[in-house]
């Protein structure tokens, strides 16, 4: 078997792996133990097949409630609140991660116009006050339009505290200040754990084979490099859900599908288009925190297997795509999957892989990129030009994620008028993808 790919899901004490290639799927499971034990399991799974890549789903290992370190959150805004910063975020998780909260003068608007000069002395004071806190999260007003103040703040922090780990909100992305700040704080809390995981998984990949590339499943259904995981671990959260959708569609041989993931207590429904799960930036993340990070769009249908079957069959009747129902485990989930499949209109498919769907989906992940930004355009021609620039940026990110040269494509590109801002303001949302290459 040439060009086989392995996906591996790291769970609580267990590791579930799947190898896909030439229409064949193999499964293996074992303890989430030492690097040599994991490498031995993957080599046994590969057998005589030539493995090109190993993609890891480490979302279970990136639980901020368990793996998060204390964070000092620094907000850069043009005017300090007169009543202070208040009691903090409503989420207990975010409050528990923030060992310190502070604000300094600075920031831009969404179009990159400076609203106030950065108070560098206040930044230095915040860095000194947080000297016992290992990570800092810097969120500046208007950072998606101009990141200069965040970059300057990071440089000041590194000059005074070179050992500190710093997360910047413009790297995480997203428009809303509060959602972007929440994602940045969680990202900062996970930097240490992500570095450990990246190093461990890369070493395992090297033990599997000298030409095996190492990737990590992302919450948008794509994959990211070890370097990007170290910088933005928040992108790997909720990766299992997106990977399960991808795996179910791949096993059914459907590029476009309405997918039902059978769980013991519910049916999770999502869509796969062009081999990629549809995503949203509005779903709550860990601890119910809303973050400006794309994750798979899933709707839960609770209730009995019969109720799930009736609801999903009704959805399938009004969908142009093929309907697929899948279960990655036995027991109640498989019972629910069979009940739903019995009600599906032709050519609906039942998928029972005999292994972890998320591991299969991780193996099948392709390079992707997501951009969400605001632009100003006085004419249709200028809007098209701005959109073209954003699409090219997304395609470049896809290429950097190991896409085969020439396979990069724009999956979706939307420009939405923002009527609450000045006339000519648009929100651009661009998603791009590509086919994985054979790079090492």
């Amino acid at each position: 078997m040439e060009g086989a790919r392995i996906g591996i899901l790291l769970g609580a004490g267990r590791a579930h792996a799947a190898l896909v290639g030439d229409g064949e799927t193999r499964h293996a499971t074992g303890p989430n133990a030492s690097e040599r034990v994991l490498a031995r399991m993957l080599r046994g799974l590969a057998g005589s097949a030539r493995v090109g890549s190993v993609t890891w789903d480490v979302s279970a290992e990136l639980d901020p409630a368990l793996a998060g370190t204390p964070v000092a959150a620094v907000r850069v805004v043009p005017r300090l609140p007169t009543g202070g910063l208040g009691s903090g975020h409503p989420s207990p998780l975010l409050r528990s991660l923030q060992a310190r909260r502070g604000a300094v003068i600075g920031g831009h608007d969404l179009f990159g116009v400076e609203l106030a000069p950065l108070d560098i002395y206040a930044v230095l004071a915040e860095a000194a006050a947080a000297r016992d806190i290992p990570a800092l999260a810097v969120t500046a007003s208007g950072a998606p339009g101009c990141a200069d103040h965040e970059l300057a703040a990071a440089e000041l922090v590194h000059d005074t505290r070179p050992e500190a780990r710093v997360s910047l909100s413009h790297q995480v992305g997203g428009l809303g200040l509060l959602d972007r700040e929440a994602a940045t704080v969680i990202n900062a809390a996970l930097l240490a754990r992500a570095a450990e995981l990246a190093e461990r998984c890369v070493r395992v990949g090297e033990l599997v084979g000298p030409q095996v590339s190492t990737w990590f499943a992302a919450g948008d259904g794509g994959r990211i490099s070890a370097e990007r995981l170290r910088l933005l671990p928040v992108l790997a959260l909720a990766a299992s859900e997106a990977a399960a959708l991808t795996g179910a569609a791949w096993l059914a041989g459907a590029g476009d599908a309405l997918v039902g993931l059978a769980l013991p207590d519910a049916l999770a429904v999502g869509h796969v288009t062009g081999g990629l799960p549809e995503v949203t930036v509005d779903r709550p993340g860990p601890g119910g925190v809303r973050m400006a990070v794309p994750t798979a769009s899933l709707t839960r249908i609770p209730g009995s297997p019969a109720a799930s079957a009736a609801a999903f069959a009704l959805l399938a009747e009004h969908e142009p795509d093929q309907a697929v129902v899948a279960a990655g485990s036995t027991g109640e989930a498989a019972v629910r999957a069979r009940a739903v499949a019995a009600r599906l209109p032709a050519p609906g498919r039942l998928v029972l892989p005999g292994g972890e769907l998320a591991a299969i989906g991780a193996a099948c992940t392709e390079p992707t990129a997501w951009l969400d930004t605001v632009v100003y355009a006085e004419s249709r021609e200028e809007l098209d030009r701005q959109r073209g620039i954003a699409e090219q940026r997304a395609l470049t990110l896809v290429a950097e994620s190991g896409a085969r040269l020439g396979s990069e494509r724009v999956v979706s590109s939307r420009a939405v008028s923002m009527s609450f801002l000045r006339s000519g303001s648009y929100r651009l949302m661009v998603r791009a993808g590509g086919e994985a290459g054979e790079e090492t």
Side-chain angles (χ1 to χ4, degrees):
M1 185 188 300
E2 293 293 322
R5 298 158 70 174
I6 290 178
I8 180 166
L9 169 67
L10 293 183
R14 302 293 292 175
H16 305 274
L19 179 141
V20 301
D22 294 340
E24 180 183 351
T25 306
R26 305 176 191 168
H27 301 278
T29 185
N32 182 3
S34 69
E35 296 164 15
R36 294 192 177 277
V37 169
L38 287 172
R40 191 180 307 121
M41 181 182 75
L42 297 184
R43 287 197 300 267
L45 176 65
S48 60
R50 186 179 68 85
V51 177
S53 65
V54 177
T55 303
W56 301 77
D57 179 351
V58 295
S59 53
E61 299 279 328
L62 289 173
D63 183 351
L66 300 176
T69 59
V71 176
V74 180
R75 187 182 295 179
V76 183
V77 289
R79 184 171 57 187
L80 298 180
T82 56
L85 293 176
S87 59
H89 198 276
S91 166
L93 170 64
L94 213 66
R95 291 200 303 271
S96 69
L97 293 176
Q98 295 182 91
R100 175 179 172 81
R101 298 167 61 237
V104 302
I105 293 291
H108 297 77
D109 67 14
L110 286 175
F111 305 102
V113 177
E114 186 178 73
L115 299 176
L118 179 65
D119 187 342
I120 61 175
Y121 299 105
V123 173
L124 291 171
E126 286 293 331
R131 59 185 174 274
D132 297 326
I133 303 174
L136 285 86
V138 181
T139 307
S141 171
C146 180
D148 289 354
H149 286 182
E150 287 191 353
L151 293 171
E155 186 175 353
L156 291 169
V157 171
H158 284 144
D159 286 345
T160 56
R161 294 189 53 201
E163 82 289 350
R165 296 182 293 272
V166 181
S167 179
L168 306 179
S169 78
H170 77 275
Q171 296 170 332
V172 175
L175 302 182
L177 179 68
L178 296 181
D179 291 354
R180 183 159 40 90
E181 183 179 53
T184 307
V185 168
I186 290 177
N187 192 74
L190 293 173
L191 288 174
R193 180 59 177 153
E196 296 173 359
L197 285 170
E199 292 170 8
R200 181 190 185 206
C201 294
V202 168
R203 286 195 296 264
V204 172
E206 292 171 347
L207 292 172
V208 173
Q211 295 184 333
V212 175
S213 59
T214 299
W215 304 93
F216 296 88
D220 69 345
R223 70 181 195 183
I224 56 178
S225 65
E227 290 75 16
R228 199 153 175 79
L229 180 73
R230 292 187 185 100
L231 177 68
L232 294 169
V234 72
L235 297 183
L237 299 181
S240 297
E241 297 176 345
L245 288 172
T246 301
W250 184 86
L251 288 170
D256 302 317
L258 171 71
V259 179
L261 301 175
L263 307 173
D265 60 343
L267 186 73
V269 181
H271 285 82
V272 173
T273 303
L276 295 174
E278 294 189 3
V279 298
T280 180
V281 293
D282 299 325
R283 289 190 67 208
V289 179
R290 291 191 178 275
M291 304 185 299
V293 178
T295 54
S297 180
L298 284 172
T299 301
R300 289 175 63 91
I301 302 178
S304 67
S308 298
F312 192 71
L314 184 61
L315 289 173
E317 289 178 0
H318 298 277
E319 284 283 341
D321 301 329
Q322 179 177 343
V324 177
V325 61
S329 60
T330 58
E332 295 181 12
V335 170
R336 184 180 298 272
R338 290 191 176 92
V340 173
R343 295 283 300 270
L344 289 182
R349 287 287 307 276
L350 170 65
V351 173
L352 298 173
E356 280 290 341
L357 276 172
I360 298 171
C364 298
T365 53
E366 306 287 0
T368 61
W370 171 276
L371 289 180
D372 188 356
T373 187
V374 172
V375 299
Y376 174 71
E378 293 182 329
S379 65
R380 172 58 62 178
E381 291 75 15
E382 176 62 16
L383 178 59
D384 291 340
R385 189 185 73 84
Q386 296 274 14
R387 181 186 291 189
I389 293 173
E391 291 175 354
Q392 189 56 52
R393 284 177 55 202
L395 292 173
T396 300
L397 289 173
V398 170
E400 291 175 353
S401 295
R404 178 174 53 79
L405 184 63
S407 70
E408 306 94 336
R409 70 189 190 281
V410 175
V411 177
S412 63
S413 178
R414 289 191 295 157
V416 180
S417 177
M418 304 183 74
S419 57
F420 56 89
L421 296 178
R422 60 178 174 173
S423 177
S425 302
Y426 295 89
R427 179 181 183 182
L428 290 182
M429 291 169 283
V430 178
R431 192 181 191 197
E435 299 176 5
E438 290 298 322
E439 78 298 329
T440 60

